[in-house]
Structures are given as structure tokens and as C-alpha cells.
Amino acid sequence: MIKNEVEKVYALEWTGDVLKVLDQRVLPETIRYDEYKEAGGVAESIRTMRVRGAPAIGIAAAYGVALSVMQHYSSSSDDWQQKVAEDMQRLADSRPTAVNLFWALQLMQEVLDGNSENLIDKVRQVAEQIHAEDIKANQVMGALGAELLVDAKTVMTHCNAGALATGGYGTALGVIRSAYQRGLDTVYAGETRPWLQGARLTAWELAQDGIPVTLIADSAAAWLMQSGTLDWIIVGADRIAANGDVANKIGTYSLAVLAKQHGVKLMVVAPLSTIDFELTSGAGIILEQRNPNELLAECYSHEDSLVSAWNPVFDVTPASLITAIVTEKGVVMNPADKGLRSLM
Ligand code: MRU
């Protein structure tokens, strides 16, 4: 059994027949799991953000394909292939920005395209492997990123790039976990409006691990940097283009601009599955827009309202504002110089 562990709570739990998804919409007050035996339900759990965070979305999608094959596969006819293809399309349509989703679907497609002997065992194994390798990658990145923080005392993170967002351990929070064991002193987390991944998820995850964390309103970041105590900002990513431009949670770009103004360094931590080598720059990244009602007070959310809202949930930070990109295959310093081709 593979589990994605935050203390005794698991963001994704795979039993071999069922995918249990921790409903992150109701954390930290309520710990509730939804159980899925069909890919359509997994797609819905991604779309509705019960499971979120680029690597966790990819892992959930891989298990979704495994469930689809388990449900539809038949050795005596080819009809199952059409049903699995439809399920894969549902999974692909669930959210647009995190490339890990499409990366995982591609790996599962390659299994389907291969020799179909023991197909059910194979799809299960590959999905479990995607999950297990993500956890390993996070641990490697945690150590590599912590080496860059040897002299750092104070860091800030944005959104939730922790165990809840990945196979386990976390990308940005993996680095913070490793650095904390080596003497990192103070961790600030931005609330991350409108969905409050920082206030609800990062704060909870770090507190579960006994790591003290200070929450700030997103709009307090400039003043925090002006105070001169922040050494690094550490974030995850949803998609990184070959030139080092990074799509991540809305607000990352403004933190990057502020960091440059105040001489604060910016670290992006992401596995290779988050790098889209087919994109030459961040200009080609589709940035998800979510329902304006996530921002609007209820009294403004009716059709004839004079108050509307613009709710992009990701932005792109140009490589020129990034100090280091940390992957499981190594660290690229100043990615604007040569992009990420050295990792290929
Ligand atoms: O909308 P979300 O919560 O799925 O967005 C998550 C992020 O932007 C994370 O920073 C990113 O996926 C990296 S998670 C390791």
C-alpha cells in the first residue's frame, strides 16, 4: 500500500482497488476522505480541488487510469479501449496548468500502447511507481535545496507545496523540512488568497511536523521584505518552460518582483515531471481561470450583479527573477542564463 503521509493523514491512499482522496477543501478543520473506484470520480476530485498541487494531481490521474483499466479491460474484445480513452480525456480536462497531469497520462498511455499481457497489473504498477518516485524525488530535492540554505535563517513560502501537494514530503516544504533540521530558524507562509492554501494547508502541515510557522496576509510580503530579515522565498511550480519561466500559484510573480527589489533570493523546487521541455517560454502556458464566485461576496454572485471578479489562479514568473531551480537531477542556478536544457 502506498500512502502520501502528513503525520497520520494521507492526501492520497491507494489500496490496490480504491483511491482514497483526502478532501483538502475542508482542511484543517475536518479530515474526510472520498473513495473512488472509477476514473470519472478521480477527474471530478481533481476539478473540484479535493486533491490539488501539481505532482499530487499527476499521481491521482495515474491511479485514475489504473481504475479505468481495472473497470473496463476485457481480453475478449477491444471495446474497453474506447472507454479508457474517454476516461483519460476526462482526466486531461480536469485542470489545465499543472503539466504533471499530462506527463502522468502520457506515461500511462505508453503502458496501454505496449503489449497488453497482464495489463491490469502493469497499469497498477506504473501508477504506484509514479507515486513512489515522486516521494523519492522530493527527498532528494529537500537535501539539494537545503544545501543552498546553509547560511539562511528566514524563509517564506507561498501556496502549499508540501506533502499534501505531492506524493509525500513536498517540494518547497521538503526543502524547508530538510533545512529546519539543519538550523533554519523562521518560516513565513503567505495566506494565498483566494483558496488559502497557505493559511489552511501549509500552516497545518508544518505545525503537524513541529515546525513553527508565521502566517502573513499576502499583502504583507513587501513590508516583510523591507524589514530586511528574509533570506529566501521558496516555492513549488505547476509548469516550468525550457527557458526557466515558472508557472505557479497566483502571487508568485508579485513575490518575485518584490524579491528583486529587496535583494531576497527566489528558489523554485520542482521534479522533472513539472518541466515542459516542449515549451520554449512561459508565454505558452495555459493559466487556469477559476469561478469568480471564489472571490465575490455572496450578495454579488448573482447574474445581474454590477460587481464582477477576475480570478486567474496561476501566474508566470520569468526566469530572470529566479535565483535557483532545484530538481531531483540537480540545481540550475540563474536559469535565465542557459535555461534548463542541461537537465534533459
Ligand atoms: O491550485 P493548486 O492548489 O493546485 O495550486 C498549487 C500550486 O500552485 C503549487 O505551488 C504547485 O502545484 C506546486 S505543488 C508541489
Side-chain angles (χ1 to χ4, degrees):
M1 187 183 290
I2 298 192
K3 289 176 173 179
N4 164 350
E5 187 165 3
V6 184
E7 282 290 303
K8 291 189 170 44
V9 174
Y10 312 106
L12 292 172
E13 193 177 324
W14 171 245
T15 67
D17 298 304
V18 171
L19 182 64
K20 294 187 188 172
V21 174
L22 176 66
D23 188 346
Q24 298 193 29
R25 300 170 310 171
V26 294
L27 286 174
E29 286 85 4
T30 306
I31 291 172
R32 179 174 83 207
Y33 290 88
D34 294 310
E35 298 194 359
Y36 299 99
K37 287 190 171 173
E38 294 181 8
V42 177
E44 186 61 6
S45 78
I46 297 170
R47 194 187 65 76
T48 52
M49 291 177 66
R50 286 168 166 84
V51 56
R52 34 66 51 198
I57 290 171
I59 295 162
Y63 284 131
V65 177
L67 288 171
S68 178
V69 174
M70 287 155 64
Q71 185 186 2
H72 300 301
Y73 178 73
S74 154
S75 54
S76 55
S77 90
D78 281 344
D79 291 356
W80 65 273
Q81 290 180 351
Q82 177 61 23
K83 291 187 175 132
V84 171
E86 283 165 12
D87 277 343
M88 289 179 78
Q89 192 57 50
R90 270 184 210 115
L91 288 161
D93 291 341
S94 59
R95 288 192 78 187
T97 304
V99 74
N100 308 62
L101 169 63
F102 307 97
W103 169 86
L105 290 176
Q106 178 59 35
L107 284 185
M108 298 308 281
Q109 186 62 53
E110 284 164 20
V111 182
L112 297 178
D113 292 343
N115 181 345
S116 68
E117 225 171 275
N118 301 326
L119 188 65
I120 290 181
D121 288 344
K122 277 188 197 148
V123 286
R124 271 201 191 111
Q125 273 164 19
V126 173
E128 288 171 8
Q129 197 180 330
I130 288 172
H131 192 171
E133 283 179 2
D134 188 66
I135 299 172
K136 271 193 226 149
N138 286 336
Q139 283 159 348
V140 173
M141 289 186 285
L144 291 174
E147 278 168 28
L148 297 179
L149 298 181
V150 275
D151 298 322
K153 283 282 160 231
T154 304
V155 300
M156 178 185 169
T157 189
H158 184 59
C159 194
N160 171 266
L164 289 168
T166 61
Y169 200 62
T171 55
L173 288 197
V175 169
I176 289 173
R177 286 188 160 96
S178 299
Y180 187 74
Q181 285 162 12
R182 298 179 176 194
L184 179 71
D185 201 46
T186 306
V187 181
Y188 287 94
E191 279 182 311
T192 318
R193 288 194 172 262
W195 214 73
L196 298 176
Q197 287 94 329
R200 297 187 301 107
L201 308 178
T202 294
W204 183 68
E205 230 192 275
L206 291 176
Q208 295 275 317
D209 262 13
I211 300 176
V213 52
T214 302
L215 198 59
I216 60 166
D218 297 325
S219 47
W223 199 237
L224 174 68
M225 290 186 223
Q226 200 278 341
S227 72
T229 60
L230 199 60
D231 297 306
W232 283 86
I233 293 169
I234 307 173
V235 295
D238 287 82
R239 193 183 291 236
I240 306 180
N243 71 341
D245 290 350
V246 168
N248 191 46
K249 180 53 55 194
I250 191 78
T252 305
Y253 173 55
S254 65
L255 288 174
V257 172
L258 290 170
K260 190 172 179 72
Q261 165 73 13
H262 293 97
V264 174
K265 290 176 273 221
L266 174 60
M267 183 191 302
V268 176
V269 189
L272 287 194
S273 54
T274 304
I275 303 176
D276 187 345
F277 284 108
E278 285 175 15
L279 282 184
T280 51
S281 84
I285 301 177
I286 296 172
L287 300 174
E288 180 181 10
Q289 297 269 343
R290 290 191 74 86
N291 191 328
N293 290 344
E294 289 183 349
L295 288 176
L296 289 171
E298 213 177 320
C299 61
Y300 295 133
S301 63
H302 59 93
E303 233 174 56
D304 316 325
S305 173
L306 290 178
V307 182
S308 61
W310 181 57
N311 189 18
V313 295
F314 298 102
D315 56 29
V316 176
T317 298
S320 57
L321 296 178
I322 297 169
T323 315
I325 295 182
V326 175
T327 76
E328 73 274 33
K329 287 279 178 298
V331 176
V332 177
M333 296 302 295
N334 305 312
D337 290 351
K338 290 189 182 148
L340 303 181
R341 297 277 165 204
S342 63
L343 296 171
M344 274 181 96

